[in-house]
Amino acid sequence: MDFREETNMNTTKKWMTGLMIGGASVALAACSTASAEPFEIKWGKTECEVCKMKVTDRQFAAEAVMENGKGYAFDDIGCLMRDWYPKQKEDKIAAMYVKDYKTKAWVELEDGHYVYDEMAKTPMAYNIVSFGKETDAKSYMKDHGGKLMDLDDLKKHDWKRGKMEMKMDGEDSEMKMDDSSSDEGHSH
């Protein structure tokens, strides 16, 4: 092997190594399920995209980030999944997130574990509690009851609303929210 053949061989090896590294980088990027990061909610100021209530409860908030970078906040996962998501084209959604009930960290919607607990007091009375870890969801169920769900279950869920507790003039008040109740603020 002369000097020219050895140089060509080294150049080819470098080129192939670069291709492999570049390909591995692309493959790793494709493994990431979210193409957008959660955005900052201004707690108590940002409005829910659906019901227009202020997003105040950090353990029940949800978000959707579109491919164009626009973000939507929700005060309850029910506002996201019942009223907003069915009207969207999935290829336009970059990522959706929920807050972990226990840690209050953002969790990708598709990676979450959910508990439907009729007694849970969520902002819009959809009674779904979100978790990043299945063990935390099961621990919640052990203490409170409920049914374990995943994203496919959420998509098929009937989204009936339970009792909604509101404070009025310093007094607690209950309002039953179901399919026959007014859905003011919620579009269908």
Side-chain angles (χ1 to χ4, degrees), residues 17-35:
T17 302
L19 276 178
M20 289 190 304
I21 291 171
S25 297
V26 168
L28 286 174
C31 289
S32 174
T33 55
S35 59

Side-chain angles (χ1 to χ4, degrees), residues 84-127:
W84 184 85
Y85 175 77
K87 298 175 185 171
Q88 306 306 311
K89 293 181 180 175
E90 282 200 16
D91 63 339
K92 301 285 185 192
I93 303 170
M96 293 187 289
Y97 297 94
V98 292
K99 280 290 194 169
D100 183 297
Y101 179 80
K102 182 178 178 183
T103 67
K104 297 178 187 67
W106 287 114
V107 175
E108 281 190 61
L109 185 72
E110 64 189 47
D111 295 336
H113 304 275
Y114 306 93
V115 176
Y116 174 62
D117 174 11
E118 290 183 29
M119 301 307 291
K121 294 184 180 5
T122 66
M124 294 305 293
Y126 288 112
N127 308 332

Side-chain angles (χ1 to χ4, degrees), residues 1-12:
M1 182 182 305
D2 71 4
F3 178 74
R4 191 180 334 182
E5 285 178 292
E6 192 174 325
T7 303
N8 285 342
M9 191 178 230
N10 285 338
T11 302
T12 302

Side-chain angles (χ1 to χ4, degrees), residues 3 6 23 27-28 31 39 55 70 80-81 85 89 96 113-114 118 133 140-141 144-145 148 159 164 166 169 174 177:
F3 178 74
E6 192 174 325
L28 286 174
C31 289
F39 61 90
V55 181
K70 184 171 173 98
L80 169 69
M81 292 303 295
Y85 175 77
K89 293 181 180 175
M96 293 187 289
H113 304 275
Y114 306 93
E118 290 183 29
K133 295 180 183 175
Y140 176 93
M141 289 172 52
H144 304 281
L148 187 63
W159 295 104
M164 193 170 180
M166 299 165 48
D169 297 327
E174 277 189 12
M177 298 297 286

Side-chain angles (χ1 to χ4, degrees), residues 139-175:
S139 177
Y140 176 93
M141 289 172 52
K142 185 178 174 187
D143 295 339
H144 304 281
K147 176 186 170 196
L148 187 63
M149 302 173 76
D150 61 16
L151 179 57
D152 289 332
D153 297 322
L154 291 179
K155 289 178 180 179
K156 297 181 276 187
H157 187 58
D158 63 13
W159 295 104
K160 289 183 182 175
R161 291 162 66 177
K163 290 182 180 176
M164 193 170 180
E165 293 189 10
M166 299 165 48
K167 294 215 181 224
M168 301 176 128
D169 297 327
E171 294 182 26
D172 288 340
S173 173
E174 277 189 12
M175 180 169 61

Side-chain angles (χ1 to χ4, degrees), residues 41 43 55-61 99-101 104-106:
I41 289 179
W43 303 104
V55 181
T56 60
D57 199 331
R58 294 170 196 251
Q59 55 199 131
F60 296 114
K99 280 290 194 169
D100 183 297
Y101 179 80
K104 297 178 187 67
W106 287 114

